[in-house]
Amino acid sequence: MLNVSIIGASGYSGAELAKLIASHPNFNLKGCYVSQQSLDKGKLLSDLYPEHSGLLDLELLPLCNESYVQIAQSSDYVCLCTDHKVSVELAPKFLDLGVKVFDLSGGFRLASASQYEQYYGFSHNHQTLLDSAAYGLVEWNKANIAKAKLVAVAGCYPTAALNALKPLKQSGLLADSQIIINAVSGVTGAGRKAAINTQFCEVSLAPYGLFNHRHGPEITQYLDHPILFTPHLGNFSRGILETIYVRLADNVTENDVTQAYQTLADEPLIRLKGRVLPSIKSVAGTPYVDIGWQQQGQQLIVVVAIDNLLKGAAGQALQCMNIASGFNATLGLKD
Ligand SMILES: NC(=O)C1=CN([C@@H]2O[C@H](COP(=O)(O)OP(=O)(O)OC[C@H]3O[C@@H](n4cnc5c(N)ncnc54)[C@H](OP(=O)(O)O)[C@@H]3O)[C@@H](O)[C@H]2O)C=CC1
Ligand SMILES: CC(=O)N[C@@H](CCC(=O)OP(=O)(O)O)C(=O)O
């Protein structure tokens, strides 16, 4: 058994990951941590998530100065399910102690430290870690994920967008023009902490982050193509649906597009739906990426859906840990 500790275990992605690890045949959930000042320290994780009574009856421990060495000595892997800035502070500490880190935040996804001021609002002082981190987009980066000491698990919206678009880019089917990505996320995407815009009476369907959402540069970087990304918050709890408007290169046929998507045909968590368009209902609570598309001349509309907490966060993190351990990537997620 490999021991895994989770920092930020009381949050939505942390609790989802705790559930996956506690149910996994080869991983042991060693420790669940929250901040030192957390109102939840000392509670059981199952007090917060009673649906997991019996499975997650672990005490939430405060992360204090003495914790780092204790965690490093007792854990093979540390998962950071914390805010980006917290992850950027924590990851180097664990890496220096020799533990592999899987970071679910955006703290190590972008190529250059200088981008963090603009898109994340803090200065990033770990360019060498940005250089060495493996981007945890499983279908496209298995070899690097397998050997990296730090895995930056891909963002939720980028996971959907990149799986939908990289087959087309790789096959040379995209025209040079900008691709428009309109995305809607459920409210768990915003995390468990209290905020006005995620309150029951406030949530409806509304765009946010126009032109400056941090997932814009993340998608551009890993697609190597200009995009315009607009997220929306929807009034459902989990799932992401993206409608993507693509201009195809001259003379691209429906068969070319279908052939391009065959690149992903053997990926166990990708479901290619062809003309059948995905929905939130078909993916919420599942580890899958559903991709559908329809074409008219040079216009292609691709629709992609994932569960933000599974393929968009904890599920993909578990895949990365499986790959790093030499296990089947979907162990504990499927079948
Ligand atoms: N929700 C989602 O769909 C997705 C989230 N992510 C990323 O995962 C990370 C976590 O997101 P999410 O689960 O939604 O967030 P939540 O707000 O739900 O949870 C954050 C967790 O971090 C803990 N925490 C806060 N500060 C510290 C600290 N200094 N030290 C240790 N623990 C701390 C919180 O507990 P407490 O405050 O009580 O200490 C809580 O357990 C973020 O970076 C997010 O961007 C990635 C993909 C999808
Ligand atoms: C609905 C909502 O607020 N979603 C979050 C994205 C989810 C997330 O936590 O982003 P990462 O994948 O980069 O970690 C947001 O837009 O900030």
Side-chain angles (χ1 to χ4, degrees):
M1 289 291 242
L2 292 166
N3 288 317
V4 181
S5 289
I6 300 179
I7 320 296
S10 67
Y12 285 147
S13 62
E16 194 73 30
L17 188 56
K19 182 182 76 174
L20 292 175
I21 290 168
S23 318
H24 194 281
N26 298 350
F27 292 139
N28 175 43
L29 184 54
K30 187 67 187 171
C32 287
Y33 291 82
V34 288
S35 65
Q36 224 173 335
Q37 64 279 8
S38 176
L39 297 175
D40 294 322
K41 70 184 173 202
K43 294 180 187 168
L44 300 184
L45 187 48
S46 57
D47 290 340
L48 273 54
Y49 297 91
E51 66 274 31
H52 300 314
S53 283
L55 183 68
L56 297 182
D57 299 339
L58 270 86
E59 184 182 341
L60 290 165
L61 304 168
L63 186 71
C64 51
N65 285 338
E66 302 79 62
S67 312
Y68 300 107
V69 171
Q70 287 165 6
I71 293 169
Q73 285 174 348
S74 62
S75 312
D76 297 282
Y77 301 150
V78 170
C79 297
L80 303 178
C81 299
T82 41
D83 175 70
H84 322 288
K85 193 163 186 283
V86 174
S87 284
V88 171
E89 285 160 16
L90 295 181
K93 296 184 200 250
F94 288 112
L95 291 166
D96 287 348
L97 290 165
V99 200
K100 272 198 180 206
V101 174
F102 296 83
D103 179 25
L104 280 73
S105 88
F108 296 96
R109 294 183 198 143
L110 298 182
S112 160
S114 62
Q115 293 170 287
Y116 278 84
E117 199 78 66
Q118 181 181 356
Y119 290 106
Y120 284 80
F122 65 87
S123 55
H124 197 302
N125 300 316
H126 297 282
Q127 184 61 53
T128 48
L129 288 181
L130 292 174
D131 295 339
S132 63
Y135 187 56
L137 182 67
V138 165
E139 286 72 19
W140 300 90
N141 206 20
K142 293 188 186 74
N144 288 328
I145 293 167
K147 57 180 193 254
K149 293 189 171 63
L150 170 60
V151 175
V153 180
C156 49
Y157 291 119
T159 292
L162 290 167
N163 274 308
L165 291 170
K166 281 177 82 69
L168 304 171
K169 177 73 179 180
Q170 194 175 260
S171 303
L173 304 189
L174 300 176
D176 290 338
S177 53
Q178 195 176 49
I179 292 169
I180 308 291
I181 304 172
N182 276 336
V184 191
S185 170
V187 187
T188 52
R192 186 168 179 269
K193 63 197 167 303
I196 296 289
N197 68 317
T198 57
Q199 284 184 15
F200 184 76
C201 295
E202 298 296 327
V203 171
S204 60
L205 174 60
Y208 65 99
L210 272 66
F211 297 113
N212 67 2
H213 193 280
R214 63 185 187 283
H215 288 174
E218 185 178 332
I219 297 167
T220 304
Q221 176 178 317
Y222 293 102
L223 184 62
D224 193 21
H225 196 93
I227 58 113
L228 182 57
F229 168 70
T230 307
H232 299 67
L233 184 68
N235 64 350
F236 49 93
S237 58
R238 50 197 290 173
I240 282 177
L241 186 109
E242 299 182 5
T243 304
I244 305 180
Y245 304 89
V246 176
R247 181 131 193 110
L248 295 166
D250 292 344
N251 304 318
V252 171
T253 65
E254 290 192 18
N255 188 44
D256 294 334
V257 171
T258 303
Q259 283 308 310
Y261 280 116
Q262 286 308 300
T263 322
L264 289 172
D266 293 332
E267 287 294 340
L269 297 187
I270 304 280
R271 299 191 296 200
L272 299 172
K273 314 293 284 185
R275 289 186 59 80
V276 178
L277 300 179
S279 66
I280 293 288
K281 184 170 180 285
S282 62
V283 293
T286 82
Y288 297 106
V289 183
D290 282 5
I291 306 173
W293 62 92
Q294 292 185 17
Q295 182 179 350
Q296 198 170 65
Q298 273 181 273
Q299 290 180 316
L300 179 74
I301 300 180
V302 186
V303 180
V304 56
I306 62 168
D307 181 288
N308 56 300
L309 293 176
L310 282 167
K311 187 62 182 175
Q316 183 144 252
L318 190 79
Q319 284 189 281
C320 292
M321 284 189 273
N322 278 331
I323 291 168
S325 315
F327 307 147
N328 187 320
T330 57
L331 191 63
L333 274 173
K334 182 177 177 279
D335 303 328

